[in-house]
Amino acid sequence: MNALTAPPLYDLILDFGGARVIFSFKILVGVIAPIILKALAVGLLTSVCAAMLGVPLVLKRYSMIGDGLSHTGFFAVAVAAACGAASGAQIYITLPLVIAVAVVLLLLSESGKFKGDSAIAMICTGAVALGYIIFSLSSKGTGDVCSSLFGTAILALNMDDVAVSSVLAVGVIVVFVTLYNKIFSVTFDPAFSKSAGAPVKTVNVLLAVLTAVTVVVGMKMIGSIMISALVVFPALAAMRVSKSFKGVIIVSACLSAVCFLVGLFFATVVKFQFRSGGFADVQIPVGPSVVCVNVVALIVCILVRKVKTARAKKKAAN
Amino acid sequence: MSLISFEKVTLGYEGQPVVKDLTFEVNKGDYLCVLGQNGSGKSTMMKALLGFLAPMSGRITRDPKLKNAIGYLPQQEPAQSDFPASVYEVVLSGCQNRKGFFPFYNKADRALCEEKMALLGIADIAGRSFKDLSGGQKQRALLARALCAAGDLLLLDEPAAALDPVAAEELYVLVRALHKKGMTVIMISHDPERAIRDATHILHLGQEMLYFGPTADYDRPAILKRERGEIT
């Protein structure tokens, strides 16, 4: 390798013959740095929201609500696109739609007319089918469909997107923290909370609304198919390593933020080249990258828990 | 004035009466034990006591100071077995009802919580995970939570149902001690001998009111005969 073909500064290349992995740190200071900063701001806030909400949702056995809502989100985006809303304005249509469905979903599953999971399955599939029909009829390209399913838009956010998403996400965090004690009480023991005069139903509805907001904001970055991963994985992982409710929520939020950072790193800084592809640069998309890092984090937490309990048993045996 | 009084109350769901013609009252300092077989309307009556269920007929009067001052120990174990919560968090959540719309606990709440944990001998396990406790320890934690919520009245729904005999005995002793200190107690029980030993009043249900009165006048064999006669 001579100086002429040497890679630019900041690049680190691992060459495996048929495949190369390139760490292209220069993008962090280059022209696309602002793009990454925007993604970082929205992504971190959304990850934290989803992870905090995930704890009560998982514990209430509501984790599929995230899924139901995100599929509704797909439908809502289709409606917004068909109405001709620009991508930045779509949120004014998707947000109220998804919130409405969240409340209906919650009331449906609580009324006992449908079990929670079948109510969600109905809404999920129905919404996706309708959404795709609307996309087709309004002859928006498959690009829109792909973007709202898999969230390819996070690296194409404009300042308006960032502002709206940040305000919503911060709002969700503030409401969650304010309601924290009530959420604990209602999630832990609804019968006792009701006897103590806690507004059980209101808290449940608020949880659903917060989830709806998070899903709508998160869809942009990670896509409607995968957004519930952000709700479920950090919560499940945190439950393996912390004993108290507060501990689980804090661990969940921090873990989710770290996973997002790592996921974004692999999707932006790291490039791959394969001989079969003529050594052209390829990259992994942000959403799946973040989700996979979350999967790994959960596995690590499960292992940590296994080691801990094994040690405790050993200690007890001695 | 009595804390709670039932006058000719009939309770039920969707027009179907479960238990008829309840007339009794609970005064400050009473220890009322509610007896009866499964399906006799005990739990339905508990719901009405808590105000979850409106009577189909008759009248229930509650002392206004009971509002948000009932300490309730539900029958089912709360939450799922994997719920992460420390004992301290569980007990502290009993202070919820006195907070109203204010979202956070203050020093006084924390002090109350620590006092009740000390009273029930669980101060040393405050940091442990609720799900890892023994049945007896769990009931103590939930009783401490109920005490944080209770101003005047403790409602216990079969608190010893899931406990081994030793833990059950410990729990009954605790409840008796609380009653001695002036707490009004209403307890649904599956253990008539215990009830007769500790309670000041007995309410025996079997789709209707089979007995209400002081424990001393409770003629158990006669009531059981009536109960059997009704059901067979």
Side-chain angles (χ1 to χ4, degrees):
Chain A
M1 209 182 276
N2 62 44
L4 281 177
T5 57
L9 203 57
Y10 306 124
D11 268 8
L12 173 72
I13 302 180
L14 304 176
D15 199 333
F16 299 102
R20 292 179 197 150
V21 181
I22 302 159
F23 292 84
S24 176
F25 292 104
K26 68 172 182 292
I27 67 151
L28 296 178
V29 291
V31 279
I32 70 160
I35 293 177
I36 292 181
L37 271 181
K38 283 182 216 159
L40 205 60
V42 174
L44 277 179
L45 282 170
T46 323
S47 307
V48 169
C49 283
M52 288 195 322
L53 281 167
V55 177
L57 291 180
V58 164
L59 289 168
K60 286 167 94 69
R61 304 293 185 259
Y62 281 174
S63 24
M64 287 301 286
I65 280 190
D67 228 32
L69 293 184
S70 55
H71 288 71
T72 316
F74 173 77
F75 164 75
V77 170
V79 172
C83 295
S87 84
Q90 283 180 358
I91 204 160
Y92 300 109
I93 296 174
T94 53
L95 193 59
L97 248 172
V98 176
I99 288 178
V101 172
V103 175
V104 169
L105 209 59
L106 191 84
L107 297 180
L108 255 185
S109 65
E110 284 201 346
S111 74
K113 283 192 182 121
F114 297 97
K115 284 269 174 285
D117 58 340
S118 41
I120 288 166
M122 280 174 356
I123 291 185
C124 261
T125 46
V128 170
L130 257 179
Y132 196 36
I133 288 176
I134 294 174
F135 263 124
S136 308
L137 290 181
S138 63
S139 61
K140 300 282 164 186
T142 46
D144 278 15
V145 176
C146 193
S147 158
S148 59
L149 281 178
F150 297 106
T152 48
I154 186 161
L155 294 175
L157 297 173
N158 61 35
M159 268 331 266
D160 283 351
D161 291 333
V162 175
V164 173
S165 302
S166 306
V167 167
L168 287 173
V170 170
V172 169
I173 294 174
V174 168
V175 174
F176 186 90
V177 171
T178 313
L179 281 177
Y180 167 79
N181 286 316
K182 292 215 165 32
I183 290 174
F184 170 78
S185 169
V186 165
T187 314
F188 181 71
D189 193 345
F192 176 83
S193 305
K194 210 173 153 197
S195 83
V200 177
K201 207 162 205 173
T202 315
V203 172
N204 283 340
V205 168
L206 268 172
L207 266 181
V209 171
L210 293 182
T211 311
V213 175
T214 308
V215 162
V216 168
V217 175
M219 259 175 51
K220 264 210 147 64
M221 91 182 213
I222 201 166
S224 54
I225 283 188
M226 285 171 293
I227 177 70
S228 34
L230 291 190
V231 173
V232 180
F233 279 109
L236 287 176
M239 280 163 61
R240 300 289 172 282
V241 293
S242 183
K243 281 179 179 174
S244 69
F245 190 69
K246 193 181 264 173
V248 168
I249 288 192
I250 292 170
V251 171
S252 179
C254 296
L255 197 64
S256 182
V258 171
C259 286
F260 176 77
L261 280 180
V262 176
L264 187 66
F265 175 85
F266 278 115
T268 51
V269 174
V270 183
K271 288 176 181 148
F272 299 87
Q273 294 179 344
F274 298 101
R275 177 171 290 142
S276 56
F279 290 111
D281 280 355
V282 280
Q283 286 195 292
I284 49 175
V286 179
S289 172
V290 172
V291 173
C292 287
V293 174
N294 269 291
V295 174
V296 172
L298 175 61
I299 293 172
V300 169
C301 286
I302 290 173
L303 291 179
V304 167
R305 162 74 162 262
K306 282 244 157 83
V307 172
K308 259 190 180 170
T309 36
R311 265 197 201 154
K313 266 190 191 153
K314 222 177 175 181
K315 221 178 175 184
N318 286 340
Chain B
M1 185 190 160
S2 54
L3 283 179
I4 292 181
S5 75
F6 276 49
E7 281 170 72
K8 293 198 167 299
V9 171
T10 295
L11 300 167
Y13 305 97
E14 291 163 5
Q16 292 294 317
V18 173
V19 55
K20 281 186 240 173
D21 223 12
L22 292 172
T23 300
F24 67 92
E25 57 174 36
V26 179
N27 292 296
K28 192 160 172 46
D30 284 357
Y31 181 163
L32 174 70
C33 229
V34 184
L35 299 173
Q37 298 183 336
N38 286 336
S40 60
K42 298 187 304 256
S43 298
T44 308
M45 193 212 65
M46 195 59 119
K47 279 187 189 150
L49 271 176
L50 285 163
F52 295 173
L53 184 70
M56 289 164 66
S57 66
R59 202 170 63 170
I60 301 176
T61 331
R62 256 182 235 96
D63 188 323
K65 76 178 173 204
L66 282 183
K67 188 168 163 55
N68 292 347
I70 295 179
Y72 175 46
L73 183 60
Q75 185 182 1
Q76 293 97 352
E77 223 184 78
Q80 302 80 15
S81 55
D82 61 348
F83 201 106
S86 69
V87 174
Y88 183 75
E89 286 177 316
V90 171
V91 178
L92 190 60
S93 72
C95 298
Q96 186 67 236
N97 60 343
R98 63 187 78 233
K99 306 311 293 179
F101 284 106
F102 190 76
F104 303 111
Y105 299 117
N106 59 23
K107 241 184 195 164
D109 300 320
R110 290 173 196 284
L112 181 74
C113 165
E114 273 156 27
E115 179 202 322
K116 300 304 180 197
M117 286 198 298
L119 183 67
L120 295 186
I122 50 169
D124 54 328
I125 55 167
R128 290 213 10 222
S129 183
F130 182 80
K131 63 172 189 267
D132 298 337
L133 302 183
S134 71
Q137 287 171 323
K138 275 185 186 166
Q139 286 304 67
R140 275 167 187 254
L142 296 180
L143 192 56
R145 179 183 66 171
L147 284 176
C148 283
D152 300 285
L153 179 61
L154 210 48
L155 277 184
L156 312 172
D157 196 347
E158 301 200 14
L163 300 184
D164 62 69
V166 177
E169 180 62 26
E170 279 176 6
L171 187 82
Y172 284 125
V173 170
L174 270 174
V175 173
R176 187 168 55 180
L178 291 169
H179 171 239
K180 287 259 153 60
K181 281 187 181 163
M183 182 65 75
T184 311
V185 179
I186 300 179
M187 172 154 71
I188 292 185
S189 176
H190 255 338
D191 187 348
E193 282 155 42
R194 246 309 164 175
I196 293 165
R197 206 170 84 204
D198 289 348
T200 60
H201 292 74
I202 303 280
L203 173 64
H204 196 131
L205 301 179
Q207 274 103 55
E208 58 173 359
M209 205 168 78
L210 297 175
Y211 177 81
F212 171 70
T215 311
D217 301 338
Y218 176 63
D219 182 0
R220 184 160 172 81
I223 303 286
L224 287 181
K225 237 180 222 168
R226 260 185 80 194
E227 190 176 48
R228 274 196 298 273
E230 290 254 342
I231 286 163
T232 51

